[in-house]
Structures are given as C-alpha cells and as structure tokens.
Amino acid sequence: VSIGTDSTQNPLSVTPQENIVLSVANSVHLWKKKFLWKNEISASAITRDRRSDELDVEGVPEFLSNLFTPRVSSGADYAYTTDLSLSLRKVTMNAGYQYIGPGYVSLGLASLLPDKKVISAGVQVRHARGLVKVDGALQQDNLIGQKLATTTRTRLTTLGSYRMSRTWNMTGALIYSGMGNNAAVVTSKVDYRSWIARTSQNISFL
C-alpha cells in the first residue's frame, strides 16, 4: 500500500479524485449444484487529489497508464472473497473468507469498509418439524500493522425452530457478540461482550 499527499495541497480540503477498480469473479458448481464455490478478487487504485504531481510511469504498460495516471497522492490495494457451501437433503454447511486491504477504495461503494479480515462458518440441520442453525464470524483489522492496536470482533448465533403442533411453532435463539483490542494504553482499551436470548411463539387459528 502506498498512499501519500501532496504537501502543496490542504489535506482537509475537498479534492477532485480518481478511482479505478478491476475485478475478476468465478464460481464452481458440482454434484448438481449441491456444492458451490465462489471467488472474487479485486484491485483498486485511487488518486486523492488529481492536482498533485504525476509519478514516473516508465516501464508501466501503456494500457494501464491510459486507464489510470499515478500521482503523488495515489495508492493501490486489493480485496479477496471466497465462499464455500454444501447443500444436502437435511444439512447445509457454509464457510467464507474475506480480505479487504487498508488501501482498497471503491468510490462507487462508500459503505465498503477497508482494512478487515473476516472468517465465517455455519451449519443448518433441518428436521421434518423444525431446524437448528449455528453460524459465527471472526473479524480483525490492522492487517499491515499500521495502527497501535488491533480490534477483534466475534459473533456467534444459535437458532432453533420447532413445530409443536399443526398450529403452534416455537422459535428460540442465543446470540453472542464481542469486541476487544490489544491497546497498551488503558484509556484506549476496548472489551465489550453481549449475550442475547430470545424466544417467540407463533400460533395460527386458521
């Protein structure tokens, strides 16, 4: 990752920017689509201020330099996502991995937060009268060690649904979420944990 600013410009001012994102995606289906593997990798380059000085592009292929002009305020990074799922008659399993580099920027998708790595997994077991679902995720930032502390987020959800009778369906869930960091300074320390238990009853009189 290489992001800089032109010292002749005010870093707090609104500047004309330039952004390019290139992406390749593929999917693999096996066993009559019971197994699915999806991948996507993207590369982004951004110029924070198009008024900043151009960089030497000697040795860069012409088709790339025509698409994007590197400048003093330019930076580049990549993002990668992969998802696996296996769907059987009564069981569905899935696992995923996502990496978004700290310098990855897409101006067309401002809600996409960079600098994170997420590992997720889940399983769902179905029964004639209900189901049980367990899934969770682990997320970390500070991927290249540029921050003083690394924040870790954890989520675990357990959900069960059972049809007690033709007119009565019962659902229950237990949800855990946590967030913490390894900050050396006590005032910057984060240690948050939350447990939520809920149940619902659905009765039909039809």
Side-chain angles (χ1 to χ4, degrees):
V1 182
S2 175
I3 297 180
T5 57
D6 192 336
S7 59
T8 63
Q9 303 296 339
N10 182 356
L12 299 180
S13 64
V14 178
T15 59
Q17 300 183 7
E18 181 181 14
N19 180 221
I20 183 172
V21 178
L22 301 175
S23 179
V24 177
N26 77 302
S27 61
V28 178
H29 304 263
L30 297 174
W31 306 324
K32 297 181 180 179
K33 295 187 177 181
K34 293 180 179 179
F35 176 82
L36 175 62
W37 182 22
K38 297 189 295 183
N39 295 278
E40 181 177 354
I41 185 167
S42 303
S44 79
I46 184 169
T47 294
R48 298 292 184 180
D49 190 344
R50 293 188 61 190
R51 299 168 298 178
S52 57
D53 296 335
E54 294 186 16
L55 297 178
D56 184 9
V57 294
E58 184 178 357
V60 177
E62 184 177 353
F63 78 93
L64 287 178
S65 60
N66 289 337
L67 289 174
F68 184 84
T69 303
R71 299 177 183 273
V72 173
S73 61
S74 298
D77 212 331
Y78 76 98
Y80 174 68
T81 300
T82 183
D83 289 292
L84 291 166
S85 64
L86 177 63
S87 298
L88 304 177
R89 188 167 63 90
K90 292 186 176 183
V91 179
T92 298
M93 295 176 286
N94 63 276
Y97 174 81
Q98 182 183 53
Y99 176 98
I100 304 178
Y104 183 86
V105 178
S106 175
L107 296 178
L109 191 60
S111 61
L112 182 65
L113 298 178
D115 191 25
K116 69 177 181 179
K117 176 176 62 177
V118 184
I119 301 173
S120 60
V123 59
Q124 178 176 294
V125 180
R126 295 175 292 276
H127 186 264
R129 303 186 67 172
L131 62 86
V132 175
K133 181 179 179 181
V134 179
D135 64 73
L138 177 66
Q139 176 180 324
Q140 288 184 324
D141 66 354
N142 200 21
L143 301 180
I144 61 173
Q146 64 181 358
K147 301 177 183 176
L148 295 178
T150 299
T151 301
T152 301
R153 294 175 172 83
T154 308
R155 175 185 58 81
L156 179 63
T157 302
T158 302
L159 183 144
S161 178
Y162 191 77
R163 190 173 71 252
M164 304 295 291
S165 66
R166 187 175 61 86
T167 59
W168 177 19
N169 190 76
M170 181 175 63
T171 302
L174 183 63
I175 304 170
Y176 167 81
S177 61
M179 181 173 67
N181 66 12
N182 59 352
V185 181
V186 177
T187 55
S188 301
K189 199 78 173 178
V190 175
D191 188 4
Y192 168 83
R193 300 174 188 178
S194 172
W195 288 92
I196 299 175
R198 61 181 176 85
T199 182
S200 63
Q201 314 294 321
N202 186 8
I203 300 176
S204 174
F205 297 98
L206 298 179

